[in-house]
PDB file of all heavy atoms in Angstrom:
ATOM      1  N   GLY A 207     -10.889  -5.778  -3.716  1.00  0.00           N
ATOM      2  CA  GLY A 207     -11.369  -6.158  -2.400  1.00  0.00           C
ATOM      3  C   GLY A 207     -11.203  -7.605  -2.079  1.00  0.00           C
ATOM      4  O   GLY A 207     -10.943  -7.981  -0.907  1.00  0.00           O
ATOM      5  N   SER A 208     -11.239  -8.489  -3.105  1.00  0.00           N
ATOM      6  CA  SER A 208     -11.153  -9.906  -2.846  1.00  0.00           C
ATOM      7  C   SER A 208      -9.736 -10.357  -2.378  1.00  0.00           C
ATOM      8  O   SER A 208      -9.606 -11.390  -1.746  1.00  0.00           O
ATOM      9  CB  SER A 208     -11.515 -10.684  -4.114  1.00  0.00           C
ATOM     10  OG  SER A 208     -10.590 -10.461  -5.158  1.00  0.00           O
ATOM     11  N   SER A 209      -8.768  -9.547  -2.731  1.00  0.00           N
ATOM     12  CA  SER A 209      -7.388  -9.919  -2.311  1.00  0.00           C
ATOM     13  C   SER A 209      -6.914  -9.133  -1.105  1.00  0.00           C
ATOM     14  O   SER A 209      -5.736  -9.276  -0.682  1.00  0.00           O
ATOM     15  CB  SER A 209      -6.410  -9.659  -3.495  1.00  0.00           C
ATOM     16  OG  SER A 209      -6.528  -8.328  -3.946  1.00  0.00           O
ATOM     17  N   ARG A 210      -7.768  -8.356  -0.547  1.00  0.00           N
ATOM     18  CA  ARG A 210      -7.419  -7.518   0.615  1.00  0.00           C
ATOM     19  C   ARG A 210      -6.918  -8.346   1.800  1.00  0.00           C
ATOM     20  O   ARG A 210      -5.907  -8.020   2.436  1.00  0.00           O
ATOM     21  CB  ARG A 210      -8.623  -6.668   1.014  1.00  0.00           C
ATOM     22  CG  ARG A 210      -8.424  -5.789   2.230  1.00  0.00           C
ATOM     23  CD  ARG A 210      -7.460  -4.676   2.020  1.00  0.00           C
ATOM     24  NE  ARG A 210      -7.460  -3.725   3.155  1.00  0.00           N
ATOM     25  CZ  ARG A 210      -6.648  -2.698   3.270  1.00  0.00           C
ATOM     26  NH1 ARG A 210      -5.799  -2.482   2.308  1.00  0.00           N
ATOM     27  NH2 ARG A 210      -6.719  -1.899   4.305  1.00  0.00           N
ATOM     28  N   LYS A 211      -7.653  -9.402   2.143  1.00  0.00           N
ATOM     29  CA  LYS A 211      -7.249 -10.235   3.283  1.00  0.00           C
ATOM     30  C   LYS A 211      -5.856 -10.836   3.101  1.00  0.00           C
ATOM     31  O   LYS A 211      -5.055 -10.836   4.014  1.00  0.00           O
ATOM     32  CB  LYS A 211      -8.297 -11.352   3.503  1.00  0.00           C
ATOM     33  CG  LYS A 211      -8.014 -12.207   4.684  1.00  0.00           C
ATOM     34  CD  LYS A 211      -9.110 -13.266   4.846  1.00  0.00           C
ATOM     35  CE  LYS A 211      -8.786 -14.194   6.028  1.00  0.00           C
ATOM     36  NZ  LYS A 211      -9.842 -15.233   6.218  1.00  0.00           N
ATOM     37  N   GLU A 212      -5.570 -11.330   1.882  1.00  0.00           N
ATOM     38  CA  GLU A 212      -4.215 -11.899   1.644  1.00  0.00           C
ATOM     39  C   GLU A 212      -3.155 -10.843   1.695  1.00  0.00           C
ATOM     40  O   GLU A 212      -2.025 -11.066   2.138  1.00  0.00           O
ATOM     41  CB  GLU A 212      -4.225 -12.579   0.290  1.00  0.00           C
ATOM     42  CG  GLU A 212      -4.995 -13.873   0.194  1.00  0.00           C
ATOM     43  CD  GLU A 212      -4.379 -14.947   1.106  1.00  0.00           C
ATOM     44  OE1 GLU A 212      -3.150 -14.958   1.255  1.00  0.00           O
ATOM     45  OE2 GLU A 212      -5.125 -15.710   1.643  1.00  0.00           O
ATOM     46  N   ALA A 213      -3.515  -9.584   1.254  1.00  0.00           N
ATOM     47  CA  ALA A 213      -2.558  -8.517   1.332  1.00  0.00           C
ATOM     48  C   ALA A 213      -2.183  -8.175   2.758  1.00  0.00           C
ATOM     49  O   ALA A 213      -1.000  -7.962   3.072  1.00  0.00           O
ATOM     50  CB  ALA A 213      -3.100  -7.307   0.600  1.00  0.00           C
ATOM     51  N   VAL A 214      -3.193  -8.126   3.640  1.00  0.00           N
ATOM     52  CA  VAL A 214      -2.944  -7.817   5.029  1.00  0.00           C
ATOM     53  C   VAL A 214      -2.103  -8.935   5.679  1.00  0.00           C
ATOM     54  O   VAL A 214      -1.208  -8.672   6.482  1.00  0.00           O
ATOM     55  CB  VAL A 214      -4.269  -7.582   5.786  1.00  0.00           C
ATOM     56  CG1 VAL A 214      -4.033  -7.499   7.277  1.00  0.00           C
ATOM     57  CG2 VAL A 214      -4.974  -6.352   5.247  1.00  0.00           C
ATOM     58  N   THR A 215      -2.429 -10.165   5.367  1.00  0.00           N
ATOM     59  CA  THR A 215      -1.652 -11.314   5.901  1.00  0.00           C
ATOM     60  C   THR A 215      -0.189 -11.192   5.455  1.00  0.00           C
ATOM     61  O   THR A 215       0.766 -11.420   6.261  1.00  0.00           O
ATOM     62  CB  THR A 215      -2.253 -12.659   5.447  1.00  0.00           C
ATOM     63  OG1 THR A 215      -3.606 -12.729   5.872  1.00  0.00           O
ATOM     64  CG2 THR A 215      -1.472 -13.827   6.045  1.00  0.00           C
ATOM     65  N   ALA A 216       0.052 -10.850   4.198  1.00  0.00           N
ATOM     66  CA  ALA A 216       1.384 -10.704   3.674  1.00  0.00           C
ATOM     67  C   ALA A 216       2.119  -9.578   4.382  1.00  0.00           C
ATOM     68  O   ALA A 216       3.270  -9.638   4.753  1.00  0.00           O
ATOM     69  CB  ALA A 216       1.395 -10.432   2.186  1.00  0.00           C
ATOM     70  N   LEU A 217       1.395  -8.472   4.663  1.00  0.00           N
ATOM     71  CA  LEU A 217       1.951  -7.332   5.409  1.00  0.00           C
ATOM     72  C   LEU A 217       2.480  -7.762   6.771  1.00  0.00           C
ATOM     73  O   LEU A 217       3.613  -7.427   7.128  1.00  0.00           O
ATOM     74  CB  LEU A 217       0.854  -6.239   5.547  1.00  0.00           C
ATOM     75  CG  LEU A 217       1.200  -5.064   6.483  1.00  0.00           C
ATOM     76  CD1 LEU A 217       2.210  -4.181   5.792  1.00  0.00           C
ATOM     77  CD2 LEU A 217      -0.033  -4.277   6.810  1.00  0.00           C
ATOM     78  N   TYR A 218       1.655  -8.517   7.494  1.00  0.00           N
ATOM     79  CA  TYR A 218       2.087  -8.941   8.801  1.00  0.00           C
ATOM     80  C   TYR A 218       3.274  -9.880   8.749  1.00  0.00           C
ATOM     81  O   TYR A 218       4.210  -9.835   9.577  1.00  0.00           O
ATOM     82  CB  TYR A 218       0.948  -9.572   9.565  1.00  0.00           C
ATOM     83  CG  TYR A 218      -0.190  -8.627   9.948  1.00  0.00           C
ATOM     84  CD1 TYR A 218      -1.476  -9.065  10.155  1.00  0.00           C
ATOM     85  CD2 TYR A 218       0.051  -7.258  10.068  1.00  0.00           C
ATOM     86  CE1 TYR A 218      -2.497  -8.203  10.503  1.00  0.00           C
ATOM     87  CE2 TYR A 218      -0.967  -6.383  10.398  1.00  0.00           C
ATOM     88  CZ  TYR A 218      -2.222  -6.821  10.609  1.00  0.00           C
ATOM     89  OH  TYR A 218      -3.205  -5.954  10.944  1.00  0.00           O
ATOM     90  N   ASP A 219       3.267 -10.804   7.772  1.00  0.00           N
ATOM     91  CA  ASP A 219       4.420 -11.731   7.637  1.00  0.00           C
ATOM     92  C   ASP A 219       5.733 -10.937   7.342  1.00  0.00           C
ATOM     93  O   ASP A 219       6.794 -11.282   7.858  1.00  0.00           O
ATOM     94  CB  ASP A 219       4.145 -12.704   6.501  1.00  0.00           C
ATOM     95  CG  ASP A 219       3.089 -13.769   6.838  1.00  0.00           C
ATOM     96  OD1 ASP A 219       2.807 -13.868   8.057  1.00  0.00           O
ATOM     97  OD2 ASP A 219       2.556 -14.387   5.953  1.00  0.00           O
ATOM     98  N   ILE A 220       5.611  -9.949   6.486  1.00  0.00           N
ATOM     99  CA  ILE A 220       6.791  -9.151   6.160  1.00  0.00           C
ATOM    100  C   ILE A 220       7.336  -8.422   7.389  1.00  0.00           C
ATOM    101  O   ILE A 220       8.529  -8.451   7.687  1.00  0.00           O
ATOM    102  CB  ILE A 220       6.474  -8.127   5.051  1.00  0.00           C
ATOM    103  CG1 ILE A 220       6.169  -8.875   3.732  1.00  0.00           C
ATOM    104  CG2 ILE A 220       7.613  -7.171   4.814  1.00  0.00           C
ATOM    105  CD1 ILE A 220       5.521  -8.007   2.648  1.00  0.00           C
ATOM    106  N   ARG A 221       6.437  -7.838   8.150  1.00  0.00           N
ATOM    107  CA  ARG A 221       6.882  -7.127   9.382  1.00  0.00           C
ATOM    108  C   ARG A 221       7.451  -8.037  10.388  1.00  0.00           C
ATOM    109  O   ARG A 221       8.467  -7.731  11.042  1.00  0.00           O
ATOM    110  CB  ARG A 221       5.636  -6.407   9.976  1.00  0.00           C
ATOM    111  CG  ARG A 221       5.193  -5.176   9.184  1.00  0.00           C
ATOM    112  CD  ARG A 221       3.912  -4.639   9.762  1.00  0.00           C
ATOM    113  NE  ARG A 221       3.526  -3.367   9.137  1.00  0.00           N
ATOM    114  CZ  ARG A 221       2.368  -2.775   9.304  1.00  0.00           C
ATOM    115  NH1 ARG A 221       1.426  -3.362  10.102  1.00  0.00           N
ATOM    116  NH2 ARG A 221       2.083  -1.624   8.754  1.00  0.00           N
ATOM    117  N   ARG A 222       6.879  -9.225  10.535  1.00  0.00           N
ATOM    118  CA  ARG A 222       7.395 -10.207  11.518  1.00  0.00           C
ATOM    119  C   ARG A 222       8.770 -10.696  11.151  1.00  0.00           C
ATOM    120  O   ARG A 222       9.493 -11.218  11.988  1.00  0.00           O
ATOM    121  CB  ARG A 222       6.404 -11.350  11.665  1.00  0.00           C
ATOM    122  CG  ARG A 222       5.126 -11.008  12.421  1.00  0.00           C
ATOM    123  CD  ARG A 222       4.092 -12.078  12.304  1.00  0.00           C
ATOM    124  NE  ARG A 222       2.844 -11.662  12.958  1.00  0.00           N
ATOM    125  CZ  ARG A 222       1.634 -12.111  12.616  1.00  0.00           C
ATOM    126  NH1 ARG A 222       1.554 -12.995  11.590  1.00  0.00           N
ATOM    127  NH2 ARG A 222       0.571 -11.678  13.238  1.00  0.00           N
ATOM    128  N   ALA A 223       9.124 -10.572   9.864  1.00  0.00           N
ATOM    129  CA  ALA A 223      10.444 -10.991   9.391  1.00  0.00           C
ATOM    130  C   ALA A 223      11.461  -9.839   9.629  1.00  0.00           C
ATOM    131  O   ALA A 223      12.632  -9.994   9.219  1.00  0.00           O
ATOM    132  CB  ALA A 223      10.389 -11.354   7.922  1.00  0.00           C
ATOM    133  N   GLY A 224      11.025  -8.747  10.234  1.00  0.00           N
ATOM    134  CA  GLY A 224      11.956  -7.656  10.535  1.00  0.00           C
ATOM    135  C   GLY A 224      12.137  -6.693   9.362  1.00  0.00           C
ATOM    136  O   GLY A 224      13.113  -5.967   9.337  1.00  0.00           O
ATOM    137  N   ILE A 225      11.170  -6.716   8.419  1.00  0.00           N
ATOM    138  CA  ILE A 225      11.248  -5.823   7.265  1.00  0.00           C
ATOM    139  C   ILE A 225      10.132  -4.791   7.441  1.00  0.00           C
ATOM    140  O   ILE A 225       8.996  -5.124   7.688  1.00  0.00           O
ATOM    141  CB  ILE A 225      11.050  -6.617   5.977  1.00  0.00           C
ATOM    142  CG1 ILE A 225      12.129  -7.713   5.842  1.00  0.00           C
ATOM    143  CG2 ILE A 225      11.064  -5.696   4.764  1.00  0.00           C
ATOM    144  CD1 ILE A 225      11.881  -8.710   4.743  1.00  0.00           C
ATOM    145  N   SER A 226      10.485  -3.538   7.227  1.00  0.00           N
ATOM    146  CA  SER A 226       9.474  -2.491   7.409  1.00  0.00           C
ATOM    147  C   SER A 226       8.510  -2.482   6.221  1.00  0.00           C
ATOM    148  O   SER A 226       8.910  -2.644   5.086  1.00  0.00           O
ATOM    149  CB  SER A 226      10.145  -1.093   7.523  1.00  0.00           C
ATOM    150  OG  SER A 226      10.860  -0.778   6.374  1.00  0.00           O
ATOM    151  N   ALA A 227       7.220  -2.366   6.514  1.00  0.00           N
ATOM    152  CA  ALA A 227       6.210  -2.460   5.484  1.00  0.00           C
ATOM    153  C   ALA A 227       4.972  -1.663   5.878  1.00  0.00           C
ATOM    154  O   ALA A 227       4.712  -1.466   7.089  1.00  0.00           O
ATOM    155  CB  ALA A 227       5.837  -3.908   5.227  1.00  0.00           C
ATOM    156  N   ASP A 228       4.206  -1.260   4.847  1.00  0.00           N
ATOM    157  CA  ASP A 228       2.954  -0.533   5.147  1.00  0.00           C
ATOM    158  C   ASP A 228       1.960  -0.894   4.074  1.00  0.00           C
ATOM    159  O   ASP A 228       2.284  -1.580   3.083  1.00  0.00           O
ATOM    160  CB  ASP A 228       3.223   0.970   5.150  1.00  0.00           C
ATOM    161  CG  ASP A 228       2.200   1.732   6.014  1.00  0.00           C
ATOM    162  OD1 ASP A 228       1.222   1.111   6.450  1.00  0.00           O
ATOM    163  OD2 ASP A 228       2.401   2.944   6.196  1.00  0.00           O
ATOM    164  N   ILE A 229       0.712  -0.420   4.204  1.00  0.00           N
ATOM    165  CA  ILE A 229      -0.356  -0.713   3.351  1.00  0.00           C
ATOM    166  C   ILE A 229      -1.358   0.458   3.353  1.00  0.00           C
ATOM    167  O   ILE A 229      -1.316   1.273   4.289  1.00  0.00           O
ATOM    168  CB  ILE A 229      -1.086  -2.029   3.757  1.00  0.00           C
ATOM    169  CG1 ILE A 229      -1.917  -2.611   2.640  1.00  0.00           C
ATOM    170  CG2 ILE A 229      -1.935  -1.807   5.003  1.00  0.00           C
ATOM    171  CD1 ILE A 229      -2.416  -4.015   2.939  1.00  0.00           C
ATOM    172  N   ASP A 230      -2.158   0.567   2.347  1.00  0.00           N
ATOM    173  CA  ASP A 230      -3.163   1.656   2.293  1.00  0.00           C
ATOM    174  C   ASP A 230      -4.359   1.314   3.207  1.00  0.00           C
ATOM    175  O   ASP A 230      -4.853   0.173   3.188  1.00  0.00           O
ATOM    176  CB  ASP A 230      -3.670   1.811   0.847  1.00  0.00           C
ATOM    177  CG  ASP A 230      -4.853   2.787   0.799  1.00  0.00           C
ATOM    178  OD1 ASP A 230      -4.675   3.925   1.264  1.00  0.00           O
ATOM    179  OD2 ASP A 230      -5.940   2.360   0.345  1.00  0.00           O
ATOM    180  N   TYR A 231      -4.770   2.262   3.983  1.00  0.00           N
ATOM    181  CA  TYR A 231      -5.900   2.082   4.886  1.00  0.00           C
ATOM    182  C   TYR A 231      -7.038   3.048   4.579  1.00  0.00           C
ATOM    183  O   TYR A 231      -7.963   3.261   5.368  1.00  0.00           O
ATOM    184  CB  TYR A 231      -5.503   2.270   6.363  1.00  0.00           C
ATOM    185  CG  TYR A 231      -4.619   1.180   6.911  1.00  0.00           C
ATOM    186  CD1 TYR A 231      -3.298   1.407   7.157  1.00  0.00           C
ATOM    187  CD2 TYR A 231      -5.136  -0.070   7.203  1.00  0.00           C
ATOM    188  CE1 TYR A 231      -2.480   0.425   7.687  1.00  0.00           C
ATOM    189  CE2 TYR A 231      -4.348  -1.077   7.712  1.00  0.00           C
ATOM    190  CZ  TYR A 231      -2.975  -0.827   7.944  1.00  0.00           C
ATOM    191  OH  TYR A 231      -2.167  -1.838   8.453  1.00  0.00           O
ATOM    192  N   THR A 232      -6.991   3.664   3.408  1.00  0.00           N
ATOM    193  CA  THR A 232      -8.006   4.708   3.092  1.00  0.00           C
ATOM    194  C   THR A 232      -8.887   4.317   1.875  1.00  0.00           C
ATOM    195  O   THR A 232      -9.664   5.129   1.386  1.00  0.00           O
ATOM    196  CB  THR A 232      -7.347   6.052   2.789  1.00  0.00           C
ATOM    197  OG1 THR A 232      -6.450   5.907   1.651  1.00  0.00           O
ATOM    198  CG2 THR A 232      -6.534   6.498   3.987  1.00  0.00           C
ATOM    199  N   GLY A 233      -8.785   3.081   1.378  1.00  0.00           N
ATOM    200  CA  GLY A 233      -9.608   2.628   0.296  1.00  0.00           C
ATOM    201  C   GLY A 233      -9.244   3.209  -1.059  1.00  0.00           C
ATOM    202  O   GLY A 233     -10.107   3.382  -1.919  1.00  0.00           O
ATOM    203  N   ARG A 234      -7.954   3.490  -1.270  1.00  0.00           N
ATOM    204  CA  ARG A 234      -7.490   4.034  -2.552  1.00  0.00           C
ATOM    205  C   ARG A 234      -7.676   3.012  -3.685  1.00  0.00           C
ATOM    206  O   ARG A 234      -7.648   1.791  -3.456  1.00  0.00           O
ATOM    207  CB  ARG A 234      -6.032   4.435  -2.466  1.00  0.00           C
ATOM    208  CG  ARG A 234      -5.729   5.674  -1.618  1.00  0.00           C
ATOM    209  CD  ARG A 234      -4.238   6.008  -1.730  1.00  0.00           C
ATOM    210  NE  ARG A 234      -3.896   7.222  -1.027  1.00  0.00           N
ATOM    211  CZ  ARG A 234      -3.421   7.273   0.201  1.00  0.00           C
ATOM    212  NH1 ARG A 234      -3.224   6.130   0.866  1.00  0.00           N
ATOM    213  NH2 ARG A 234      -3.090   8.414   0.762  1.00  0.00           N
ATOM    214  N   SER A 235      -7.771   3.552  -4.881  1.00  0.00           N
ATOM    215  CA  SER A 235      -7.810   2.711  -6.058  1.00  0.00           C
ATOM    216  C   SER A 235      -6.475   2.027  -6.289  1.00  0.00           C
ATOM    217  O   SER A 235      -5.466   2.415  -5.657  1.00  0.00           O
ATOM    218  CB  SER A 235      -8.186   3.534  -7.306  1.00  0.00           C
ATOM    219  OG  SER A 235      -7.121   4.433  -7.608  1.00  0.00           O
ATOM    220  N   PHE A 236      -6.434   1.047  -7.182  1.00  0.00           N
ATOM    221  CA  PHE A 236      -5.171   0.327  -7.487  1.00  0.00           C
ATOM    222  C   PHE A 236      -4.120   1.344  -7.928  1.00  0.00           C
ATOM    223  O   PHE A 236      -2.969   1.324  -7.454  1.00  0.00           O
ATOM    224  CB  PHE A 236      -5.443  -0.676  -8.570  1.00  0.00           C
ATOM    225  CG  PHE A 236      -4.268  -1.577  -8.890  1.00  0.00           C
ATOM    226  CD1 PHE A 236      -3.718  -2.404  -7.938  1.00  0.00           C
ATOM    227  CD2 PHE A 236      -3.711  -1.554 -10.148  1.00  0.00           C
ATOM    228  CE1 PHE A 236      -2.652  -3.247  -8.202  1.00  0.00           C
ATOM    229  CE2 PHE A 236      -2.632  -2.370 -10.464  1.00  0.00           C
ATOM    230  CZ  PHE A 236      -2.101  -3.201  -9.518  1.00  0.00           C
ATOM    231  N   LYS A 237      -4.461   2.237  -8.828  1.00  0.00           N
ATOM    232  CA  LYS A 237      -3.497   3.230  -9.316  1.00  0.00           C
ATOM    233  C   LYS A 237      -3.048   4.164  -8.207  1.00  0.00           C
ATOM    234  O   LYS A 237      -1.840   4.498  -8.071  1.00  0.00           O
ATOM    235  CB  LYS A 237      -4.158   4.033 -10.448  1.00  0.00           C
ATOM    236  CG  LYS A 237      -3.197   5.021 -11.086  1.00  0.00           C
ATOM    237  CD  LYS A 237      -3.919   5.772 -12.241  1.00  0.00           C
ATOM    238  CE  LYS A 237      -2.990   6.772 -12.882  1.00  0.00           C
ATOM    239  NZ  LYS A 237      -3.710   7.522 -13.996  1.00  0.00           N
ATOM    240  N   ALA A 238      -3.978   4.579  -7.353  1.00  0.00           N
ATOM    241  CA  ALA A 238      -3.628   5.514  -6.263  1.00  0.00           C
ATOM    242  C   ALA A 238      -2.756   4.835  -5.229  1.00  0.00           C
ATOM    243  O   ALA A 238      -1.929   5.482  -4.588  1.00  0.00           O
ATOM    244  CB  ALA A 238      -4.920   6.053  -5.623  1.00  0.00           C
ATOM    245  N   GLN A 239      -2.904   3.499  -5.050  1.00  0.00           N
ATOM    246  CA  GLN A 239      -2.036   2.801  -4.116  1.00  0.00           C
ATOM    247  C   GLN A 239      -0.587   2.804  -4.639  1.00  0.00           C
ATOM    248  O   GLN A 239       0.347   2.941  -3.834  1.00  0.00           O
ATOM    249  CB  GLN A 239      -2.512   1.357  -3.969  1.00  0.00           C
ATOM    250  CG  GLN A 239      -3.778   1.183  -3.174  1.00  0.00           C
ATOM    251  CD  GLN A 239      -4.202  -0.262  -3.026  1.00  0.00           C
ATOM    252  OE1 GLN A 239      -3.515  -1.051  -2.380  1.00  0.00           O
ATOM    253  NE2 GLN A 239      -5.314  -0.618  -3.689  1.00  0.00           N
ATOM    254  N   PHE A 240      -0.377   2.696  -5.928  1.00  0.00           N
ATOM    255  CA  PHE A 240       0.957   2.768  -6.483  1.00  0.00           C
ATOM    256  C   PHE A 240       1.553   4.173  -6.258  1.00  0.00           C
ATOM    257  O   PHE A 240       2.753   4.319  -5.903  1.00  0.00           O
ATOM    258  CB  PHE A 240       0.940   2.483  -7.990  1.00  0.00           C
ATOM    259  CG  PHE A 240       1.293   1.085  -8.316  1.00  0.00           C
ATOM    260  CD1 PHE A 240       0.285   0.184  -8.697  1.00  0.00           C
ATOM    261  CD2 PHE A 240       2.559   0.605  -8.203  1.00  0.00           C
ATOM    262  CE1 PHE A 240       0.617  -1.142  -9.005  1.00  0.00           C
ATOM    263  CE2 PHE A 240       2.917  -0.696  -8.513  1.00  0.00           C
ATOM    264  CZ  PHE A 240       1.927  -1.568  -8.899  1.00  0.00           C
ATOM    265  N   LYS A 241       0.737   5.228  -6.356  1.00  0.00           N
ATOM    266  CA  LYS A 241       1.180   6.562  -6.123  1.00  0.00           C
ATOM    267  C   LYS A 241       1.593   6.716  -4.632  1.00  0.00           C
ATOM    268  O   LYS A 241       2.634   7.317  -4.314  1.00  0.00           O
ATOM    269  CB  LYS A 241       0.089   7.560  -6.487  1.00  0.00           C
ATOM    270  CG  LYS A 241       0.581   8.985  -6.414  1.00  0.00           C
ATOM    271  CD  LYS A 241      -0.549   9.932  -6.932  1.00  0.00           C
ATOM    272  CE  LYS A 241      -0.045  11.385  -6.871  1.00  0.00           C
ATOM    273  NZ  LYS A 241      -1.101  12.327  -7.365  1.00  0.00           N
ATOM    274  N   ALA A 242       0.778   6.127  -3.756  1.00  0.00           N
ATOM    275  CA  ALA A 242       1.104   6.160  -2.313  1.00  0.00           C
ATOM    276  C   ALA A 242       2.404   5.428  -2.004  1.00  0.00           C
ATOM    277  O   ALA A 242       3.196   5.833  -1.170  1.00  0.00           O
ATOM    278  CB  ALA A 242      -0.067   5.565  -1.519  1.00  0.00           C
ATOM    279  N   ALA A 243       2.589   4.291  -2.727  1.00  0.00           N
ATOM    280  CA  ALA A 243       3.840   3.503  -2.537  1.00  0.00           C
ATOM    281  C   ALA A 243       5.020   4.365  -2.899  1.00  0.00           C
ATOM    282  O   ALA A 243       6.064   4.355  -2.158  1.00  0.00           O
ATOM    283  CB  ALA A 243       3.781   2.255  -3.377  1.00  0.00           C
ATOM    284  N   GLY A 244       4.956   5.076  -4.005  1.00  0.00           N
ATOM    285  CA  GLY A 244       6.068   5.934  -4.391  1.00  0.00           C
ATOM    286  C   GLY A 244       6.325   7.027  -3.403  1.00  0.00           C
ATOM    287  O   GLY A 244       7.447   7.369  -3.083  1.00  0.00           O
ATOM    288  N   SER A 245       5.199   7.666  -2.884  1.00  0.00           N
ATOM    289  CA  SER A 245       5.363   8.742  -1.925  1.00  0.00           C
ATOM    290  C   SER A 245       5.901   8.279  -0.601  1.00  0.00           C
ATOM    291  O   SER A 245       6.591   9.037   0.126  1.00  0.00           O
ATOM    292  CB  SER A 245       4.002   9.402  -1.694  1.00  0.00           C
ATOM    293  OG  SER A 245       3.477   9.932  -2.882  1.00  0.00           O
ATOM    294  N   SER A 246       5.714   7.034  -0.272  1.00  0.00           N
ATOM    295  CA  SER A 246       6.186   6.481   1.026  1.00  0.00           C
ATOM    296  C   SER A 246       7.695   6.283   1.053  1.00  0.00           C
ATOM    297  O   SER A 246       8.255   6.110   2.126  1.00  0.00           O
ATOM    298  CB  SER A 246       5.480   5.162   1.316  1.00  0.00           C
ATOM    299  OG  SER A 246       6.006   4.119   0.486  1.00  0.00           O
ATOM    300  N   GLY A 247       8.309   6.272  -0.135  1.00  0.00           N
ATOM    301  CA  GLY A 247       9.756   5.996  -0.205  1.00  0.00           C
ATOM    302  C   GLY A 247      10.101   4.529  -0.204  1.00  0.00           C
ATOM    303  O   GLY A 247      11.225   4.163  -0.025  1.00  0.00           O
ATOM    304  N   ALA A 248       9.090   3.686  -0.333  1.00  0.00           N
ATOM    305  CA  ALA A 248       9.319   2.230  -0.317  1.00  0.00           C
ATOM    306  C   ALA A 248      10.219   1.793  -1.441  1.00  0.00           C
ATOM    307  O   ALA A 248      10.226   2.406  -2.539  1.00  0.00           O
ATOM    308  CB  ALA A 248       7.985   1.501  -0.375  1.00  0.00           C
ATOM    309  N   VAL A 249      10.974   0.758  -1.191  1.00  0.00           N
ATOM    310  CA  VAL A 249      11.818   0.167  -2.231  1.00  0.00           C
ATOM    311  C   VAL A 249      11.030  -0.715  -3.182  1.00  0.00           C
ATOM    312  O   VAL A 249      11.196  -0.689  -4.382  1.00  0.00           O
ATOM    313  CB  VAL A 249      12.966  -0.648  -1.579  1.00  0.00           C
ATOM    314  CG1 VAL A 249      13.870  -1.261  -2.685  1.00  0.00           C
ATOM    315  CG2 VAL A 249      13.790   0.256  -0.638  1.00  0.00           C
ATOM    316  N   PHE A 250      10.105  -1.515  -2.579  1.00  0.00           N
ATOM    317  CA  PHE A 250       9.330  -2.448  -3.379  1.00  0.00           C
ATOM    318  C   PHE A 250       7.815  -2.275  -3.182  1.00  0.00           C
ATOM    319  O   PHE A 250       7.374  -1.908  -2.045  1.00  0.00           O
ATOM    320  CB  PHE A 250       9.673  -3.947  -2.952  1.00  0.00           C
ATOM    321  CG  PHE A 250      11.089  -4.321  -3.248  1.00  0.00           C
ATOM    322  CD1 PHE A 250      11.964  -4.514  -2.213  1.00  0.00           C
ATOM    323  CD2 PHE A 250      11.535  -4.502  -4.541  1.00  0.00           C
ATOM    324  CE1 PHE A 250      13.276  -4.872  -2.432  1.00  0.00           C
ATOM    325  CE2 PHE A 250      12.844  -4.878  -4.780  1.00  0.00           C
ATOM    326  CZ  PHE A 250      13.721  -5.049  -3.735  1.00  0.00           C
ATOM    327  N   ALA A 251       7.075  -2.557  -4.218  1.00  0.00           N
ATOM    328  CA  ALA A 251       5.661  -2.728  -4.097  1.00  0.00           C
ATOM    329  C   ALA A 251       5.400  -4.184  -4.184  1.00  0.00           C
ATOM    330  O   ALA A 251       5.875  -4.891  -5.076  1.00  0.00           O
ATOM    331  CB  ALA A 251       4.948  -1.980  -5.232  1.00  0.00           C
TER     332      ALA A 251
END
């Protein structure tokens, strides 16, 4: 939770650079976020 604000700021910076990006909005655990990243088809976490 302490790094959530920085993660959201990074998300917006990435999108503003013209790179598609997403983030978890359901309160998943760290491990579950990685699983969601894989399911999303993302290239990078």
Side-chain angles (χ1 to χ4, degrees):
S208 66
S209 54
R210 175 71 171 174
K211 182 178 178 181
E212 287 296 328
V214 171
T215 302
L217 172 72
Y218 292 157
D219 288 344
I220 293 168
R221 287 172 172 171
R222 288 168 183 153
I225 301 168
S226 62
D228 206 352
I229 198 170
D230 172 58
Y231 290 109
T232 61
R234 289 184 176 96
S235 66
F236 185 62
K237 182 178 180 180
Q239 288 180 68
F240 263 105
K241 187 175 181 179
S245 300
S246 73
V249 179
F250 296 109

